[in-house]
Amino acid sequence: MRGPHNIWRLVRTGATFERTGAMKVALDAAEAPARIRVAARILGWPFAWLGYKGDPALPPVTRAITALGPAYIKFGQILSTRPDVVGPDLADQLSMLQDRLPPFPQDQARRVIEADLGRPVDALFSEFGDPVAAASIAQVHRARRIDNGAEIAVKVLRPGIESAFRRDIDAFHFAAGMIERLSPATRRLRPRDVVAHFESVVTGELDLRLEAASASEFAENTAGDAGMQVPKPHWHLSARRVLTTDWAEGIAMGDVAALRAAGHDLPAIGARVLQLFLRHALRDGYFHADMHQGNLKVTRDGDIVIYDFGIMGEIDEYTRRVYAEILMGFIRRDYERVARVHFEAGYVPRDRDIKEFARALRAVGEPIFGADASQISMANLLAYLFEVTERFGMATRTELILLQRTMVVVEGVARSLDPQINMWQVARPVVESYIRANLGPRAAARDLGRAVQVLGRFAPLLPEFLERRMPELLREKPLPPPPRRGLAMGMVLGGVLALAGAALGAWLG
């Protein structure tokens, strides 16, 4: 129930943010108007003594979120993918948010496994160790299958996590509604939609069968990619609250010293991380949207292991084609062409000035040509692009925000391994390959072939359809122009630069 009973939860939240010093940081990052600031102070300051203290070693916002528990931790992680809402600086801080919850007892994990799989743990696993990682939603145990001795990872949902999330999400919805009522100006950030997106993500993560499906699909898509591995799910040992996969053996990507000591070629690994992400996003349209160091390992042979598929991003084929068109315009420094593609695709409202938009694109693109490619920061580019988004009324679309955010994260991973990496030069082969395969006569012929196949399937139905519909159509009045796709894709510029800026410096230089 999204009613006034949620006020107590909001008071406790505000008190914790006030006590930890996170309130001012969060309000400043969101550029909150006066009414929101006053309401936040009323909910926070008088009750600060009721707030959780948190870990003083953490930054204020991260400290408050971890103190408030699993739902808030997960919400912080999701917000880290929405710099358009919280700002690039706070999004960067939230992207470093680590799950800091203590593990729940092993006997509880055993009960969950036995309830979901219908058999005793000792009948399924010859070994079942203590948890090796405890996250906001689940924890992971290292185990060994009893039938074939294979080493595996068993992920188990926290007991009672579903009801706990439902309670907190209810409060989030209530808070979002209050924010929109108190400050109509905040509606452009769509607080209710942000919470709804969070709810959909969490709902998916609370059913581990869906994560198993994501892992399986991702593994199939990338089966031919050299230098990477994906732990595959063990379906008969997985259920709604239990996910069993291959064990991911290797050195954590974040342990640079250990990687160096093991003799790995760090620049090569950094380049491969970037190329793999670009290939998955462009070629497959399906990519891992949480590729931080905690979800990456390096094997003894130098392969990159990617795991934890709770958050995935997807881009349809049409959108990828449009990206390619926009990329070609950037590469040729033809900003009017880039602007025209945006308007034709409906990314920008038609009542905006196309010439003015082209000049805004020039302000984004020209610095790329005049700077050392190794010094260009995706975070800085995105900060400017968010201003362009607001100015030209481009609405956001979740998968593109995930794309941009993931690119920034991947850039950080690559630079942690090789601070001098030239992002454009490394990504150039992937981008060129996509352009060759998807633009030009060969791609047009392939599209035509698909269209003929579809027409062939429906050909037997066409005569009857035309006989039935044509008289009606001839009697109908002309239809009004179709509505603009005003809610199509916002932040497309960030996605383009994130996926493709790759080739700019290296290709032209």
Side-chain angles (χ1 to χ4, degrees), residues 461-473 475:
L461 303 176
L462 287 177
E464 180 183 352
F465 174 79
L466 292 174
E467 286 181 2
R468 185 175 66 253
R469 288 292 295 151
M470 284 304 293
E472 299 176 16
L473 292 174
R475 288 194 300 268

Side-chain angles (χ1 to χ4, degrees), residues 79-368:
L79 282 179
S80 73
T81 69
R82 298 301 305 270
D84 60 314
V85 174
V86 299
D89 293 338
L90 185 54
D92 185 57
Q93 183 182 135
L94 292 174
S95 71
M96 297 183 291
L97 186 66
Q98 299 296 320
D99 295 316
R100 296 174 180 270
L101 297 180
F104 55 89
Q106 189 182 110
D107 61 331
Q108 292 186 22
R110 285 174 170 266
R111 285 197 293 271
V112 171
I113 293 171
E114 291 173 359
D116 271 35
L117 299 184
R119 297 179 63 190
V121 170
D122 293 338
L124 299 170
F125 312 115
S126 60
E127 299 175 15
F128 188 80
D130 293 329
V132 296
S136 57
I137 288 179
Q139 67 185 29
V140 177
H141 296 258
R142 192 169 185 170
R144 193 176 295 276
R145 283 177 53 166
I146 198 170
D147 54 351
N148 60 13
E151 197 168 22
I152 53 176
V154 183
K155 186 174 184 178
V156 185
L157 283 187
R158 287 183 173 274
I161 193 67
E162 297 99 326
S163 59
F165 266 95
R166 277 195 298 270
R167 288 193 300 271
D168 285 332
I169 289 172
D170 187 40
F172 294 164
H173 278 290
F174 183 75
M178 283 184 59
I179 289 172
E180 289 193 1
R181 285 191 293 272
L182 287 169
S183 178
T186 62
R187 291 174 187 168
R188 74 171 183 83
L189 298 177
R190 301 190 293 183
R192 294 186 186 186
D193 289 348
V194 171
V195 175
H197 168 57
F198 169 68
E199 184 176 12
S200 68
V201 170
V202 169
T203 300
E205 290 197 68
L206 290 176
D207 187 343
L208 295 181
R209 293 170 297 189
L210 298 179
E211 183 174 339
S214 296
S216 177
E217 181 177 353
F218 189 78
E220 288 181 6
N221 289 346
T222 62
D225 291 348
M228 68 165 286
Q229 299 178 20
V230 177
K232 295 181 176 61
H234 298 222
W235 287 101
H236 70 291
L237 294 175
S238 299
R240 185 176 64 84
R241 296 185 295 169
V242 181
L243 171 61
T244 302
T245 67
D246 298 336
W247 176 257
E249 186 62 54
I251 301 173
M253 187 75 78
D255 194 346
V256 177
L259 291 172
R260 185 176 292 109
H264 291 295
D265 185 342
L266 300 190
I269 294 174
R272 198 181 327 138
V273 169
L274 174 64
Q275 290 181 334
L276 287 172
F277 166 71
L278 290 172
R279 186 174 296 116
H280 303 157
L282 279 174
R283 181 195 64 195
D284 307 326
Y286 191 64
F287 59 93
H288 194 300
D290 200 20
M291 281 184 66
H292 57 74
Q293 286 96 331
N295 290 334
L296 300 169
K297 288 185 177 180
V298 180
T299 69
R300 181 179 302 177
D301 297 332
D303 284 355
I304 295 171
V305 184
I306 305 175
Y307 55 97
D308 193 344
F309 299 92
I311 304 178
M312 302 297 292
E314 191 166 8
I315 313 174
D316 62 73
E317 186 172 359
Y318 170 74
T319 302
R320 284 178 273 153
R321 294 283 184 89
V322 172
Y323 271 9
E325 287 285 343
I326 294 172
L327 169 62
M328 291 301 294
F330 268 110
I331 289 174
R332 296 173 180 172
R333 302 168 79 167
D334 186 350
Y335 301 109
E336 290 190 4
R337 175 184 179 183
V338 178
R340 186 169 60 255
V341 172
H342 276 79
F343 276 77
E344 289 173 354
Y347 295 170
V348 180
R350 294 187 182 276
D351 59 353
R352 305 298 168 133
D353 189 318
I354 190 170
K355 294 289 186 181
E356 186 179 358
F357 184 61
R359 283 191 290 272
L361 296 178
R362 180 180 296 274
V364 174
E366 285 302 301
I368 293 177

Side-chain angles (χ1 to χ4, degrees), residues 17-49:
F17 267 68
E18 192 71 39
R19 183 174 183 179
T20 57
M23 184 69 78
K24 185 178 185 303
V25 175
L27 293 174
D28 289 346
E31 298 180 354
R35 279 178 291 184
I36 296 295
R37 292 178 183 271
V38 170
R41 293 289 290 179
I42 291 173
L43 286 173
W45 178 72
F47 307 101
W49 59 280

